[in-house]
Amino acid sequence: MKPLSKAQNENLYQTVYHLEGLRHPVESPEALDAAAHYIHARMREFGLEVHQQAFTIEGWARPFHNIEGSLGAVEEKPAAVLTAHYDSVSPGANDNAAGVSVILEAGRILAQMNDPPPVTLVAFSLEESSNPIIYSKVRDSALRHGVWDGQGRYTRWATSKIGQAIAERAVEILNSGKTQAEGYRQALAEWGEDVPPNLRAHIDEIIPLYENMTVDSAIGQRSRIGSHRWV
């Protein structure tokens, strides 16, 4: 029987069912911790050797955790590393509870083999653009200027449309080799007078957070923090 045929839809569903929702270090830290505990428990249930890598962000008291499960003769270099992140910046089953469900089910199937290949599964935290220090400052500014409400939603349709477009444009410019701060400045200039005053004030206020942030320096600083620490 091919290994793929052993995948059980109910197992995939149950993982998504238990993880779906906002799992964020600022907005829902308890849910983020609960997700880590759930993943840890499932890996142990499947018979994997489980390790928890705790790491901290300077200036943030609460620790974060990467959950690692291994099977087979894993030494320094396993044959394969299967990864997914379990944090989210908005309520999501597909981002990335679905990914976690796939690696867990793969681990369950592989663990049933008599001689499983050397494989490591890793569920990462803080992969999204969710550095809690940066996010907290952005959130405070957005609330102060009435751009977001208390649940992180844009307060007006026009603000939502232009705010998201500016953020996407800033990332495009970032990816072209400039800093994210330069991206925001250029995007504001391109949108000109169409930018609502409160949104412009908010973006002007947060630009210094990204002054020296390039594509390379963002890794492990703004996003992909968990995988960066694990590697």
Side-chain angles (χ1 to χ4, degrees), residues 77-155:
K77 295 182 179 180
V81 179
L82 309 180
T83 71
H85 69 88
Y86 66 89
D87 61 312
S88 68
V89 294
S90 59
N94 211 31
D95 189 10
N96 191 26
V100 174
S101 73
V102 170
I103 68 167
L104 287 181
E105 186 64 355
R108 182 190 71 81
I109 294 169
L110 291 169
Q112 294 175 349
M113 300 175 65
N114 293 329
D115 186 21
V119 174
T120 294
L121 316 180
V122 192
F124 294 124
S125 185
L126 296 194
E127 284 298 283
E128 302 274 24
S129 297
S130 53
N131 180 313
I133 302 296
I134 296 176
Y135 179 87
S136 294
K137 293 177 180 179
V138 172
R139 180 180 185 274
D140 290 347
S141 174
L143 289 173
R144 186 164 51 254
H145 292 288
V147 173
W148 293 354
D149 64 12
Q151 296 181 316
R153 300 173 301 189
Y154 282 99
T155 55

Side-chain angles (χ1 to χ4, degrees), residues 43 61 85 111 208 227:
M43 287 184 180
H85 69 88
S227 59

Side-chain angles (χ1 to χ4, degrees), residues 145-148 154 158-164 166 188 194-205:
H145 292 288
V147 173
W148 293 354
Y154 282 99
T159 306
S160 171
K161 180 181 177 181
I162 298 176
Q164 293 182 50
I166 287 175
L188 283 175
D194 291 332
V195 182
N198 65 327
L199 177 60
R200 181 177 292 277
H202 162 61
I203 294 175
D204 281 338
E205 188 169 278

